[in-house]
Amino acid sequence: MSPYRDNQKQKVLVVDDQPINLKILGQALAGDYQVLVASNAEQALQIAILQQPDLILLDIIMQGMDGYQTCRALKQDSRTVNIPVIFSTSMDSEADEVKGLEAGAADYITKPYNLALVKARVRNQMQLKKKTDLLEKLVSLDGLTEIPNRRNFEQHFEVEWRRAQRSGLPLSLCMIDIDSFKQYNDNYGHGAGDICLQRVAQTLASTAKRSGDLVARYGGEEFVVLLPDTELEEASVVSERLRQAIESQAIEHKYSSCAQVVTISAGLASCQVQIGMERSQLMEEADKFLYEAKQQGRNRVSSGIYSPDVA
């Protein structure tokens, strides 16, 4: 991490294996931005995921993973795919610039630094990022609950599915349904139903707080939680925590078939994603477990591992 910090400012991550370059860029940008620094690709990827910078200034020639590889890794991860990257390098041929842009970079600056030019290009990318973030928020959030909508979920699911195929890491999916919600609407009114949906959505979103987890409204009173890099045991803990969080809100529901307060049923499915599997298979499995939870009395989590024969 960097000493240049101001939580009110946009964040820029400077990645370079030469301390002098980190110092030059850090000091040049610290007046306008919160500056984070990393001296290698592994550190940069970790900071990018945890800190979610608005922009990354990335050196190309580094020990271990070079800038091209690092940029591709950023663009292949749903958690960092939308962070713009400006390459910083002493290589200034057209072929080098084309290679950088093809790797996913938004811009290119050369060494030795012209700091006025660096600041101008960073400023341009930051302004563009603000506009892009606003537009993305408008199209990717559910209008009522203000959490990610189904479109947003589908995009993340596709990216995480491909990543799980490449990495061999597990992927878990939890389908959630508010118990007896029709009876809630019928007896308390649709206005109260909307407020209930908002409270449930915000409780789910604030409870599933791990980096990479995504809570989305799937439709109606259904929600979905995507849990990357998560095996069944850990996903079960998260899912049960979600169920308890909703129940502890103590939203009155005298017309529920299973409790006096609003509750949820959840179906959880986990898998090791294999070549030949389809995302819809995991969705169908989670939905099957959701049906099982309802059949067993609601206000519970039903779960299992999905391991189809894809040979």
Side-chain angles (χ1 to χ4, degrees):
M1 295 297 176
S2 165
Y4 317 107
R5 296 202 61 172
D6 183 337
N7 291 330
Q8 302 305 312
K9 299 176 180 178
Q10 285 180 290
K11 289 186 282 189
V12 57
L13 170 60
V14 181
V15 187
D16 200 302
D17 60 1
Q18 298 298 315
I20 186 62
N21 291 331
L22 293 177
K23 183 177 180 180
I24 290 171
L25 292 174
Q27 290 179 343
L29 298 171
D32 298 309
Y33 309 104
Q34 177 186 341
V35 180
L36 310 171
V37 298
S39 58
N40 57 60
E42 290 75 15
Q43 189 180 42
L45 293 172
Q46 183 179 26
I47 293 174
I49 291 171
L50 294 176
Q51 294 291 324
Q52 291 293 302
D54 298 285
L55 177 68
I56 299 175
L57 279 178
L58 177 60
D59 186 29
I60 290 180
I61 302 175
M62 297 188 295
Q63 296 288 331
M65 285 179 67
D66 65 22
Y68 296 127
Q69 294 170 311
T70 306
C71 187
R72 291 190 188 99
L74 289 165
K75 298 305 174 183
Q76 290 171 351
D77 192 320
S78 65
R79 296 166 291 184
T80 55
V81 64
N82 292 322
I83 302 174
V85 174
I86 297 179
F87 272 135
S88 163
T89 181
S90 57
M91 302 186 298
D92 58 0
S93 72
E94 287 187 4
D96 292 325
E97 187 169 354
V98 168
K99 185 176 180 180
L101 295 174
E102 288 179 342
D107 207 344
Y108 211 90
I109 59 175
T110 58
K111 302 174 184 177
Y113 299 121
N114 177 331
L115 292 180
L117 183 60
V118 170
K119 289 182 177 181
R121 292 195 168 179
V122 168
R123 183 171 59 251
N124 288 343
Q125 289 298 325
M126 287 297 200
Q127 290 173 346
L128 182 60
K129 181 67 161 54
K130 281 184 178 180
K131 294 177 182 177
T132 302
D133 287 349
L134 178 58
L135 289 173
E136 182 63 26
K137 180 177 180 179
L138 291 174
V139 301
S140 64
L141 294 186
D142 176 64
L144 175 65
T145 62
E146 296 185 345
I147 67 170
N149 58 20
R150 183 167 177 172
R151 171 184 176 275
N152 191 328
F153 161 71
E154 293 290 356
Q155 291 175 339
H156 276 78
F157 194 14
E158 182 178 359
V159 171
E160 291 298 346
W161 186 266
R162 292 199 305 265
R163 192 167 72 90
Q165 280 184 325
R166 292 191 303 270
S167 66
L169 293 171
L171 183 64
S172 295
L173 184 70
C174 182
M175 296 290 295
I176 292 172
D177 192 72
I178 300 177
D179 295 324
S180 304
F181 189 68
K182 182 181 184 303
Q183 288 73 21
Y184 190 95
N185 266 336
D186 289 346
N187 289 279
Y188 293 99
H190 289 278
D194 286 348
I195 294 173
C196 177
L197 285 169
Q198 291 169 338
R199 289 186 61 181
V200 169
Q202 294 304 318
T203 300
L204 293 174
S206 63
T207 303
K209 296 184 294 186
R210 304 179 315 163
S211 176
D213 292 353
L214 178 75
V215 177
R217 186 182 181 193
Y218 197 69
E221 68 270 26
E222 279 194 312
F223 298 85
V224 61
V225 185
L226 185 63
L227 304 168
D229 308 347
T230 309
E231 294 182 344
L232 181 64
E233 182 176 359
E234 185 179 1
S236 297
V237 172
V238 174
S239 300
E240 176 60 20
R241 188 181 301 131
L242 294 172
R243 188 200 65 77
Q244 292 176 2
I246 298 302
E247 189 173 30
S248 68
Q249 288 292 304
I251 304 170
E252 181 183 287
H253 189 358
K254 294 181 179 179
Y255 307 94
S256 172
S257 62
C258 60
Q260 292 295 300
V261 296
V262 169
T263 59
I264 59 173
S265 296
L268 170 67
S270 300
C271 72
Q272 297 289 144
V273 182
Q274 305 171 44
I275 301 299
M277 287 175 59
E278 299 291 336
R279 289 185 293 133
S280 59
Q281 293 175 287
L282 188 60
M283 287 286 297
E284 290 168 1
E285 191 73 1
D287 199 52
K288 184 190 80 174
F289 283 117
L290 174 58
Y291 178 78
E292 182 178 285
K294 292 180 180 181
Q295 290 297 106
Q296 292 177 351
R298 304 178 188 270
N299 191 22
R300 67 192 65 220
V301 178
S302 181
S303 63
I305 295 175
Y306 182 51
S307 182
D309 181 6
V310 297

